Structure formats: structure tokens, C-alpha cells
């Protein structure tokens, strides 16, 4: 769909928010906490951004975009060239980071990682759940929504700017596993790695994370070519070691949507009917990988000689 930028605001050092609406004031698709959209920029770049506005507002979406000097140009385009009134393509929303029921929630954000957690906090408040937020950033001025969160939620929100406090002190919060608490974390890779280490002794599925960028890809389990059957068409294709499953099935005529092609957005999620995928994405949780009933063909491969996909 094509949406119009209704507002663009600077909300922190290096961070702008965009408010998007339908040009004809039509209702937008509903979404749930943890959802993201694909933003298709006029020059053809596609980037994923978490929805961080009011999910009960059916007519607008809000996203926040951090300028990334070392990025691939998408954030610079948003900051420097997009303006109210411009039209952008939008795909989704999709949610691979859903808020699941729990007695308590611990939200941990690093920098712009606060964005998917905002709607979760609003939902936790709505259902009167017990929750706490640990929010770290380079400095107070760089931490989007900091004042809004502190004003609305008081001592549930723990602000920890790195230039004042150092890195987030996770030990008091994570050293003792709590079966009734779900931990949700979004932020840069070092923070995610630290939280994963701290939660190693927690019950299964107690931690859910969302990444800005794909984790480093491990070596494939299967180092040689394998076959993929497209069950709907009856075609079988050979996937060579230097070719992705996504590319191979597209060459065979399968119409598979994709966006990031790095295993981080979930656009190309495909059902698996037979065989065992070699999961190499940054989205699926451990129990989802263990089910072996879906895969991200942009990065994932096969653990054996054959896969059958619902394509």
C-alpha cells in the first residue's frame, strides 16, 4: 500500500519519527505490539521499522528512525530527503516479536530498540500487568521517548545513559531466574549477547529478542548441493552451495515475497512440508526452529539432501 507522511518530528539526537496515513484517510490494517512494517522509499530501498504509535488509532502508523552513519543509506534518506506530504510504499504489518501472556514482564531496550517495546508497555498497562523497563542509550539526549516514558510510568522506568552510568547493569535483574517473568529485549548486538548470557539459566522461552541486524551466519550444516521440491507445482530444483534457497525457488517460478534477504524481517517465511531445515535466521525462537515446519529461505538451508516446501 502507499501511505503519505503526515508528520516528521525530531524526537532525540539522531532520531526522527514519521507519522504515516492513507492519502484518502482510509483505515489501515490492524497490528499488535511487536509488529513492524516495510518502508519502501522512493529510490527503491526497503527497510523495516517497528510500529511505536497507538495501535488503537486505525488511521495512522508511527515509526522512529535512527540515523546510522555506517548504514546502507536508508536512514540517511529518511532523515535528509523525506518530508510531510511525500508518498512511501508500506508492506505489512508483520509480527515476529509478539507479546505473550506472563505474570510479569521485564523490558530491556538499547537505544532505538525502545520502539517495539513501547506498544508492549502500553499493552501491559492496559491489562494491569506487572512490568519494569531497563532503558540504556549513549546519552539522555539520544534516548527517544525517554521523557514520555518517565512522566507516564515513574519508577517502573529505569533510565541508564551510558555516558553517566556505563553499560546497563543486568545482574540485579537477571541473575535469579524467574519462571513467571518474560524478558523482552531489543537493541544492538552486544546488548542482546549480554542479555542472552545472563538468561542462560532461565526457563525455556523466558527470553525473546529482536535484532536490528542479522546475526553472523554460521557455516551451513550441509556443504553440498541439495534438492527442494515445490509441492504445489511439482517442480524440483537443485540448490547449489553458492545459491540461496530463495533464489533457486524463484528461478523455478515460485512467487516468494522478500525484503531484507538477511533473515531479519520474516517476509519470506515459508512452510516446510518435509525435510529438516538448517535454520540460519535471526527471527525464529528455539521452539519454532525445533518444530521444523517453516523456514526463511533467504538465509536458511537444508540439513539433509531434500526439502519439500509449500510452494
Amino acid at each position: 500500500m502507499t501511505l503519505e507522511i503526515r508528520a516528521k518530528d525530531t524526537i532525540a539526537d539522531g532520531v526522527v519519527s514519521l507519522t504515516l496515513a492513507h492519502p484518502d484517510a482510509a483505515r489501515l490494517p490492524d497490528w499488535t505490539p511487536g509488529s513492524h512494517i516495510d518502508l519502501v522509499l522512493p529510490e527503491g530501498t526497503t527497510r523495516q521499522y517497528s510500529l511505536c504509535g497507538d495501535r488503537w488509532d486505525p488511521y495512522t502508523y508511527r515509526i522512529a528512525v535512527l540515523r546510522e552513519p555506517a548504514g546502507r543509506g536508508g536512514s540517511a534518506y529518511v532523515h535528509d530527503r523525506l518530508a510531510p506530504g511525500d508518498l512511501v510504499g508500506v508492506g505489512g504489518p508483520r509480527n515476529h516479536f509478539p507479546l505473550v501472556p506472563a505474570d510479569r514482564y521485564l523490558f530491556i531496550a538499547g537505544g532505538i530498540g525502545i520502539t517495539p517495546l513501547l506498544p508492549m508497555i502500553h499493552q501491559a498497562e492496559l491489562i494491569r500487568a506487572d512490568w519494569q523497563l531497563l532503558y540504556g542509550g549513549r546519552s539522555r539526549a539520544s534516548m527517544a521517548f525517554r521523557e514520555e516514558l518517565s512522566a507516564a510510568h515513574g519508577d517502573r522506568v529505569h533510565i541508564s545513559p551510558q555516558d553517566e552510568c556505563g553499560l546497563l547493569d543486568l545482574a540485579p535483574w537477571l541473575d535469579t531466574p524467574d519462571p513467571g517473568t518474560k524478558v523482552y529485549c531489543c537493541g544492538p548486538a552486544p546488548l542482546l549477547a549480554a542479555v542472552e548470557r545472563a538468561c542462560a539459566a532461565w526457563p525455556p522461552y523466558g527470553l525473546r529478542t529482536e535484532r536490528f541486524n542479522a546475526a553472523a551466519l554460521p557455516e551451513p550444516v550441509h556443504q553440498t548441493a541439495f534438492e527442494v521440491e515445490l509441492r504445489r507445482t511439482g517442480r524440483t530444483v537443485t540448490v547449489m552451495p553458492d545459491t540461496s534457497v530463495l533464489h533457486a525457488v524463484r528461478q523455478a517460478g515460485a512467487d516468494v515475497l522478500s525484503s531484507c534477504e538477511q533473515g531479519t524481517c520474516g517476509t519470506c517465511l515459508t512452510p516446510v512440508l518435509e525435510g529438516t531445515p538448517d535454520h540460519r535466521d535471526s527471527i525464529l525462537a528455539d521452539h519454532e526452529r525445533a518444530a521444523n515446519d517453516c523456514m526463511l529461505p533467504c538465509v536458511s538451508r537444508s540439513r539433509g539432501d531434500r526439502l519439500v516446501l509449500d510452494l
Side-chain angles (χ1 to χ4, degrees):
M1 59 184 164
T2 299
L3 300 185
E4 179 184 344
I5 299 174
R6 289 291 172 83
K8 178 180 179 181
D9 301 290
T10 299
I11 57 173
D13 286 353
V15 181
V16 296
S17 70
L18 300 181
T19 301
L20 308 172
H22 195 282
D24 297 325
R27 184 186 179 101
L28 302 179
D30 294 335
W31 56 282
T32 53
S35 295
H36 70 266
I37 58 172
D38 300 320
L39 190 69
V40 184
L41 301 173
E43 35 72 278
T45 301
T46 301
R47 296 289 183 267
Q48 290 75 44
Y49 297 107
S50 296
L51 289 170
C52 58
D54 179 3
R55 62 177 291 227
W56 304 110
D57 176 356
Y59 298 103
T60 63
Y61 290 158
R62 181 177 69 167
I63 61 174
V65 180
L66 170 69
R67 180 189 288 276
E68 299 184 75
R72 294 174 292 163
S75 66
Y77 191 100
V78 170
H79 277 253
D80 298 337
R81 300 182 62 181
L82 285 186
D86 288 348
L87 299 178
V88 292
V90 171
R94 287 183 299 276
N95 195 345
H96 298 286
F97 192 42
L99 186 68
V100 300
D103 296 333
R104 291 169 297 281
Y105 297 100
L106 176 61
F107 302 113
I108 304 176
I112 200 64
I114 190 63
T115 52
L117 303 184
L118 280 179
M120 296 186 184
I121 290 170
H122 296 158
Q123 181 69 14
E125 279 288 287
L126 186 66
I127 63 176
R128 299 183 180 180
D130 184 13
W131 64 272
Q132 299 283 327
L133 168 68
L134 309 184
Y135 183 11
R138 297 187 310 277
S139 65
R140 289 182 186 272
S142 71
M143 298 170 71
F145 308 110
R146 171 182 57 83
E147 294 181 352
E148 169 188 323
L149 285 163
S150 296
H153 305 298
D155 60 7
R156 288 184 183 270
V157 176
H158 306 270
I159 302 295
S160 183
Q162 187 174 348
D163 60 353
E164 299 176 24
C165 311
L167 298 177
L168 280 174
D169 184 8
L170 301 174
W173 302 91
L174 299 177
D175 274 1
T176 302
D178 181 0
T181 297
K182 296 293 185 187
V183 180
Y184 280 78
C185 179
C186 183
L191 173 63
L192 295 181
V195 172
E196 288 169 347
R197 288 192 299 270
C199 288
W202 280 57
Y205 320 133
L207 169 66
R208 292 192 70 95
T209 62
E210 184 167 68
R211 296 180 177 274
F212 297 153
N213 300 301
L217 290 177
E219 286 296 315
V221 171
H222 199 82
Q223 299 284 344
T224 57
F226 56 92
E227 292 189 339
V228 173
E229 178 187 333
L230 312 183
R231 177 58 55 86
R232 296 187 199 176
T233 64
R235 298 195 65 178
T236 297
V237 298
T238 299
V239 181
M240 302 303 292
D242 59 349
T243 301
S244 70
V245 175
L246 178 64
H247 178 75
V249 300
R250 278 180 167 171
Q251 290 292 102
D255 185 16
V256 183
L257 293 176
S258 67
S259 179
C260 73
E261 300 195 6
Q262 297 179 337
T264 61
C265 75
T267 305
C268 65
L269 188 69
T270 300
V272 176
L273 302 178
E274 295 178 26
T276 305
D278 176 15
H279 295 292
R280 291 149 52 83
D281 61 89
S282 300
I283 289 180
L284 297 179
D286 289 344
H287 67 286
E288 293 171 317
R289 294 183 177 206
N292 288 321
D293 58 3
C294 63
M295 66 181 286
L296 278 296
C298 61
V299 292
S300 297
R301 302 184 68 78
S302 178
R303 300 182 72 90
D305 294 328
R306 184 171 175 271
L307 286 174
V308 179
L309 302 181
D310 188 15
L311 293 172

